[in-house]
């Protein structure tokens, strides 16, 4: 009975110890959501798998058909699960693709080592491999490419929206179903670097991008020093003494703080977050690592702290600088033409007073007398005004010029006072019976008041 009791107490320790695996310092790790299992590839002779269904390690022989040394393969390639027992190994920079299937690791692409998308966000969707962004050929890109198995080549993804993330390298991402959440990254140009703080979501089905907002400044500080392997999303990640859970659907992230996390060098959660593959380095042996399957809840230490993930961006920040520039040019041109049109525009009906009146105080005695005479008759022969300008010894031509100059000046003055067009003031027409005679007409819209 005593031995049974001791065995019962040691059962948790024994059950946990059988999940531990000793590897080198740099094993290739991946979680397979199709099989709910973990892949560990550390040498060219075999690959190991831990199944969360039966909670045990399995070793499989490996038929390696590599075109480069295995050590270089581990440095440049990273595994991503694409199906039951299937893994793609993408190369950092895009191009070559190896596949692990039926215990055989061989190259399946007809492409070349493009070296065009170093530091890209690499993810799987519907068993296809996608790259977004990265650095290559001396510039940072926002290129979006995918690998088509049938063609064995890479093709560009055509988006269905004008807006999309700007060029960047080393962005962090989370794929949940058909949505890909993309966070931050770095833009490099010549000798300068800019840490990006935007958050985006991409619908893999509709191929549409949408800007979510600006990342939490505290999270940005963590991201700037975070070294994250390609091909892994960061739903849960370790940073220094913090274990961080990111939930983009609820726009929050939760952090736990403990010295225990300082010994974690890799953390791969399962799809339901119940378990995680944890890699730890021994302080007295830096060349080997210890892999263990841990219950996530049992390694949570410290009080959880919740923070917002991003703040929604205002409409004005969503508008690009180029759009603001074009808007300013169009608005300024519009204002210029509007002012020009108003200044050149004749006095229109909206500018005219409803009841224009001519007041005596605005005119001289002679002007007022002549206007009264014309208004009384409504139509008057122009020669009837000769008496006002005639003098002894004055020639007819001089009399005619005086009369015409006076009428012209009177028209202008009446137009200024009444805010009417000059052409509407004292209009001259020819006499219907004698074309040599001119008749001056009064504008019926005008009123005379003392």
């Amino acid at each position: 009975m005593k031995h049974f009791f001791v065995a019962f107490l040691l059962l948790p320790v024994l059950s946990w110890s059988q999940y531990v695996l000793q590897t080198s310092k740099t094993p290739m790790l991946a979680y397979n959501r199709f099989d709910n299992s973990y892949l560990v590839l550390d040498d060219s002779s075999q690959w190991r798998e831990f199944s969360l269904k039966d909670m045990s390690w399995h070793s499989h022989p490996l038929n390696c058909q590599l075109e480069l040394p295995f050590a270089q393969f581990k440095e440049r390639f990273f595994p991503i699960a694409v199906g039951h027992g299937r893994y793609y190994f993408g190369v950092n920079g895009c191009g070559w693709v190896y596949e692990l299937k039926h215990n055989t690791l061989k190259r399946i692409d007809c492409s070349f080592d493009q070296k065009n998308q170093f530091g890209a966000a690499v993810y799987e969707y519907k068993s296809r491999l996608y790259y977004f962004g990265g650095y290559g050929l001396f510039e940072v890109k926002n290129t979006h490419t995918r690998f088509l198995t049938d063609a064995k080549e890479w093709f560009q993804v055509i988006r269905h929206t004008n807006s999309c993330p700007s060029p960047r390298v080393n962005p962090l991402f989370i794929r949940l179903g058909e949505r890909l959440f993309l966070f931050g990254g770095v833009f490099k140009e010549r000798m300068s670097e800019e840490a990006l703080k935007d958050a985006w979501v991409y619908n893999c089905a509709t191929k549409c991008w949408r800007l979510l907002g600006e990342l939490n400044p505290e999270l940005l500080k963590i991201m700037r020093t975070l070294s994250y392997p390609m091909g892994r999303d960061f739903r849960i990640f370790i940073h220094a003494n913090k274990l961080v859970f990111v939930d983009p659907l609820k726009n929050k992230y939760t952090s736990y703080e403990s010295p225990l996390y300082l010994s974690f060098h890799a953390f791969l959660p399962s799809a339901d977050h119940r378990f995680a593959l944890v890699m730890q380095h021994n302080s007295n042996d830096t060349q080997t690592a210890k892999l263990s399957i841990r219950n996530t809840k049992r390694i949570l230490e410290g009080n959880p702290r919740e923070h917002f993930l991003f703040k929604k961006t205002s409409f004005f920040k969503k508008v690009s600088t180029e759009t603001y520039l074009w808007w300013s040019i169009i608005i300024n041109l519009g204002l210029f033409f509007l002012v020009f049109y108003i200044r050149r525009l004749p006095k229109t009906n909206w500018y005219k007073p409803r009841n224009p009146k001519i007041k005596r105080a605005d005119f001289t005695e002679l002007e007022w007398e002549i206007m009264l005479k014309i208004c009384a008759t409504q139509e008057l022969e122009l020669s009837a005004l000769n008496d006002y300008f005639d003098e002894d010894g004055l020639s007819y031509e001089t009399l005619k010029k005086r009369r015409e100059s006076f009428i012209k000046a009177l028209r202008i003055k009446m137009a200024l006072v009444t805010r009417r067009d000059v052409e509407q003031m004292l209009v001259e027409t020819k006499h219907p019976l004698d074309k040599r005679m001119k008749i001056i007409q009064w504008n019926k819209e005008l009123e005379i008041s003392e």
Side-chain angles (χ1 to χ4, degrees):
M1 185 68 180
K2 182 178 180 180
H3 295 289
F4 176 79
F5 181 72
V6 172
F8 178 78
L9 292 177
L10 293 176
L11 182 61
V13 178
L14 293 174
S15 60
W16 180 83
S17 64
Q18 67 179 344
Y19 301 155
V20 177
L21 181 68
Q22 200 82 11
T23 65
S24 70
K25 188 180 178 180
T26 57
M28 305 179 80
L29 308 175
Y31 171 73
N32 191 327
R33 64 182 179 87
F34 302 95
D35 297 330
N36 197 21
S37 63
Y38 289 101
L39 167 135
V40 179
L41 180 58
D42 197 29
D43 60 72
S44 59
S45 62
Q46 63 177 342
W47 67 281
R48 295 181 174 88
E49 178 185 26
F50 186 91
S51 174
L52 292 175
K53 296 179 181 178
D54 57 17
M55 299 301 290
S56 60
W57 287 101
H58 303 277
S59 295
H60 305 281
L62 183 62
N63 177 19
C64 250
Q65 301 178 14
L66 301 180
E67 299 177 10
L68 71 169
F70 187 78
Q72 294 182 16
F73 179 78
K74 287 179 62 177
E75 289 178 0
R76 290 203 58 194
F77 288 79
F78 48 90
I80 294 182
V82 294
H84 294 285
R86 290 179 57 211
Y87 296 87
Y88 280 167
F89 288 77
V91 66
N92 188 8
C94 192
W96 292 349
V97 179
Y98 279 83
E99 181 184 28
L100 174 59
K101 184 179 179 181
H102 303 313
N103 299 331
T104 298
L105 179 62
K106 64 178 181 179
R107 185 177 169 185
I108 61 170
D109 69 280
C110 292
S111 182
F112 60 97
D113 191 4
Q114 299 178 10
K115 297 183 179 180
N116 190 46
Q117 290 183 269
F118 290 98
V122 184
Y123 65 97
E124 171 270 334
Y125 174 67
K126 290 188 175 180
S127 299
R128 288 179 176 174
L129 198 59
Y130 288 79
Y131 281 57
F132 178 84
Y135 177 85
L137 302 178
F138 308 103
E139 65 175 343
V140 178
K141 302 175 173 62
N142 58 354
T143 304
H144 200 177
T145 55
R146 64 174 177 173
F147 179 73
L148 297 184
T149 310
D150 296 338
K152 298 182 180 181
E153 289 281 2
W154 290 90
F155 295 88
Q156 187 169 356
V157 178
I158 305 301
R159 65 176 185 271
H160 293 165
T161 50
N162 292 327
S163 60
C164 74
S166 60
R168 63 196 61 209
V169 65
N170 295 328
L172 299 180
F173 69 94
I174 298 175
R175 190 180 75 79
L176 298 175
E178 294 183 343
R179 285 177 289 187
L180 175 74
F181 295 89
L182 193 75
F183 304 99
V186 176
F187 176 74
K188 299 180 180 180
E189 187 175 22
R190 297 180 182 176
M191 300 299 293
S192 62
E193 289 188 2
E194 178 189 359
L196 304 176
K197 56 184 179 180
D198 49 355
W200 292 79
V201 62
Y202 175 72
N203 190 308
C204 300
T206 62
K207 299 180 181 179
C208 295
W209 286 99
R210 179 167 60 89
L211 179 62
L212 296 175
E214 294 183 358
L215 292 170
N216 188 325
E218 296 300 322
L219 182 61
L220 277 174
K221 294 179 183 178
I222 296 176
M223 291 172 58
R224 288 171 186 170
T225 58
L226 187 63
S227 177
Y228 217 64
M230 292 187 67
R232 296 187 200 168
D233 66 27
F234 82 133
R235 290 175 298 164
I236 304 177
F237 65 92
I238 298 290
H239 177 261
N241 63 339
K242 290 184 175 64
L243 177 64
V244 182
F245 290 76
V246 182
D247 189 348
L249 298 179
K250 295 182 179 180
N251 188 17
K252 70 174 184 179
Y253 71 94
T254 306
S255 62
Y256 294 82
E257 188 171 338
S258 170
L260 170 67
Y261 306 135
L262 292 171
S263 64
F264 291 179
H265 293 268
F267 191 93
L268 276 72
S270 61
D272 56 8
H273 295 178
R274 290 181 56 197
F275 297 94
L277 175 64
V278 178
M279 183 172 73
Q280 295 174 280
H281 293 170
N282 296 325
S283 58
N284 62 346
D285 185 4
T286 58
Q287 300 304 315
T288 61
K290 180 176 65 176
L291 302 181
S292 59
I293 306 299
R294 309 290 289 272
N295 188 305
T296 307
K297 291 184 178 180
R298 293 182 181 178
I299 60 175
L300 297 181
E301 294 188 3
N303 296 322
R305 295 183 180 180
E306 288 191 356
H307 315 267
F308 73 90
L309 182 59
F310 57 83
K311 284 186 177 179
K312 293 184 178 180
T313 306
S314 65
F315 168 78
F316 297 101
K317 287 188 177 181
K318 292 181 180 179
V319 180
S320 64
T321 305
E322 292 79 6
T323 304
Y324 274 122
L325 178 61
W326 281 110
W327 281 4
S328 64
I329 293 174
I330 293 172
I331 291 173
N332 282 297
L333 286 175
L335 290 175
F336 171 78
F337 285 113
L338 180 62
V339 172
F340 178 80
Y341 178 73
I342 291 175
R343 290 180 64 87
R344 299 282 297 179
L345 190 67
K347 301 300 184 291
T348 53
N349 291 330
W350 62 267
Y351 189 60
K352 300 174 185 177
R354 294 183 179 179
N355 297 310
K357 292 184 179 182
I358 297 177
K359 298 180 180 181
R360 187 181 187 126
D362 298 327
F363 298 89
T364 65
E365 290 295 330
L366 180 59
E367 292 170 345
W368 185 254
E369 186 177 348
I370 291 176
M371 285 191 298
L372 288 176
K373 188 172 184 177
I374 299 172
C375 181
T377 59
Q378 295 293 312
E379 292 185 352
L380 184 69
E381 290 185 6
L382 193 58
S383 60
L385 301 177
N386 289 347
D387 295 339
Y388 293 97
F389 307 102
D390 195 9
E391 295 179 2
D392 292 338
L394 190 68
S395 65
Y396 179 75
E397 292 298 329
T398 304
L399 173 64
K400 184 178 178 182
K401 288 182 179 179
R402 285 186 177 183
R403 183 187 65 192
E404 291 177 353
S405 298
F406 179 85
I407 294 300
K408 181 178 180 181
L410 182 59
R411 284 194 185 103
I412 295 173
K413 193 171 184 179
M414 291 174 65
L416 292 173
V417 171
T418 60
R419 298 177 182 177
R420 289 293 191 273
D421 295 336
V422 176
E423 291 79 7
Q424 297 178 1
M425 302 293 108
L426 306 179
V427 179
E428 292 182 5
T429 59
K430 293 183 178 181
H431 196 282
L433 300 179
D434 190 351
K435 302 297 183 182
R436 295 172 298 176
M437 299 177 60
K438 292 183 179 180
I439 297 176
I440 191 168
Q441 296 179 346
W442 182 258
N443 190 329
K444 297 180 181 180
E445 294 181 358
L446 304 180
E447 298 179 10
I448 292 182
S449 63
E450 293 293 334

